Amino acid sequence: MAGLSDPELRRELQALGFQPGPITDTTRDVYRKKLRHLRGEVRLREEARPRSEERLRTEARPREEAPLRAQPAVASLRAEPWPSPPASSSAFGPAGAYGDFGAPAALKLLPVDCERKTDEFCQAKQKAALLELLHELYNFLAIQAGNFECGNPDKLKSKCIPVMEAQEYIANVTGSSSARFEAALTWILSSNKDVGICLKGEDPSELVTTVDKVVCLESARPRMGVGCRLSRALLTAVTHVLVFFWCLAFLWGLLIFLKYRWRKLEEEEQAMYEMVKKIIDVVQDHYVDWEQDMERYPYVGILHVRDTLIPPQSRRRMKRVWDRAVEFLASNESRIQTESHRVAGEDMLVWRWTKPSFFSDSER
């Protein structure tokens, strides 16, 4: 059966009275299973036909011989003057219970229509049919979702299969009506069990509560082949390894950057302290020169000190060091005072060296 081509498989199914739908990679195994099932039913009917004919002949023979066996009983009634007891227990007892067809073993069960019946037998049959429909629907959706995840050979737009397509497939495979298909969807909506089938509406984020709002069906457990599973597992492992190395490289780069930043801050702080020392020396030397009448004013401009200590080509690069040094002197150096004076017709900030007092006010 595995060697049948798609046209031969279609002809075999049609010859057995089954009209298949499109035969694709996802439905071929299902139709082969259906063909095997139909052939089995035909074989069972052919084997049961001789036995049924033999049973009918066996049942017909006692009915034909019954009138002949009844004639001696009638003759004895004429010969004897007393009435004979009724032979109901032996001759007519079994026949009275089941008519003229003999024992209950010969009774044939007629097919029962359980569509509108609620007895226990029909409920069991309806439940079995519903489970078979759900099983076929689950397999169909799982295969379609697996194919969509594994390269999408059937060019599906989504792994959520439209309701009409799923209903047509179930009708071709199981012969179920649309009412039974809707009953299965209703059972899924009303059941609190996880059957592996998701019902979705126009908005996938909204919860569907009625069958008429169901637009498509999606499997929650895609069924993928071994090759697809291995390739996806390999891809996942490679992705995780790459992510791990990317994270490791990022952390390593971050550590290098932080070490570089700490080193630059240390160098900048060291440069700031050196700049503060140079500024103190310049301001103190200027004050000493003023005491020796070598300078006109006892203070010196801040910008003048900057231009003296930092060459022009380095002023942009050393701006941060200079600003930190000026801020440090303003808050941590009591021997240098910051003042504002008019020099050459312009107001400017200057530094003045403050000579420390040798005696406190209490001693004076």
Side-chain angles (χ1 to χ4, degrees), residues 13-25:
L13 290 171
Q14 291 174 348
L16 294 175
F18 179 78
Q19 186 62 32
I23 300 178
T24 62
D25 294 338

Side-chain angles (χ1 to χ4, degrees), residues 284-302:
Q284 186 178 11
D285 292 342
H286 181 83
Y287 184 78
V288 172
D289 292 342
W290 174 75
E291 287 183 332
Q292 297 176 1
D293 295 331
M294 297 176 61
E295 292 290 345
R296 184 176 179 182
Y297 302 105
Y299 47 80
V300 61
I302 294 178

Side-chain angles (χ1 to χ4, degrees), residues 150-167:
C150 298
N152 195 14
D154 296 335
K155 306 300 180 184
L156 300 174
K157 296 181 179 179
S158 171
K159 62 181 179 180
C160 194
I161 307 302
V163 175
M164 296 305 299
E165 183 178 345
Q167 181 178 350

Side-chain angles (χ1 to χ4, degrees), residues 102-268:
L107 181 63
K108 292 184 179 180
L109 294 176
L110 298 177
V112 180
D113 184 12
C114 292
E115 290 294 334
R116 295 184 177 85
K117 295 186 178 181
T118 59
D119 57 279
E120 185 177 354
F121 174 77
C122 288
Q123 286 182 355
K125 287 193 63 177
Q126 291 174 0
K127 183 177 181 181
L130 179 64
L131 292 178
E132 181 184 0
L133 189 151
L134 290 174
H135 178 71
E136 294 293 342
L137 181 62
Y138 174 84
N139 289 336
F140 172 70
L141 295 177
I143 292 174
Q144 293 290 348
N147 291 338
F148 184 83
E149 297 282 348
C150 298
N152 195 14
D154 296 335
K155 306 300 180 184
L156 300 174
K157 296 181 179 179
S158 171
K159 62 181 179 180
C160 194
I161 307 302
V163 175
M164 296 305 299
E165 183 178 345
Q167 181 178 350
E168 181 182 356
Y169 173 83
I170 294 299
N172 290 333
V173 174
T174 64
S176 301
S177 62
S178 59
R180 184 167 295 177
F181 182 80
E182 292 181 359
L185 298 185
T186 304
W187 183 86
I188 294 175
L189 289 175
S190 60
S191 175
N192 295 326
K193 300 178 181 179
D194 182 13
V195 297
I197 300 176
C198 301
L199 308 183
K200 297 187 176 181
E202 294 288 345
D203 188 0
S205 61
E206 294 183 357
L207 183 64
V208 178
T209 55
T210 57
V211 177
D212 56 349
K213 293 183 179 180
V214 178
V215 176
C216 60
L217 311 175
E218 181 179 338
S219 174
R221 305 180 185 92
R223 183 177 300 172
M224 296 174 283
V226 178
C228 179
R229 290 180 180 274
L230 290 178
S231 62
R232 287 172 63 87
L234 180 62
L235 179 61
T236 303
V238 171
T239 303
H240 288 172
V241 171
L242 290 178
V243 170
F244 172 76
F245 278 109
W246 273 110
C247 293
L248 188 63
F250 174 77
L251 294 176
W252 184 259
L254 182 61
L255 179 60
I256 293 176
F257 172 77
L258 291 177
K259 290 178 66 176
Y260 170 78
R261 181 64 178 169
W262 292 333
R263 187 174 66 251
K264 292 296 290 183
L265 290 176
E266 291 177 356
E267 293 176 356
E268 183 178 321

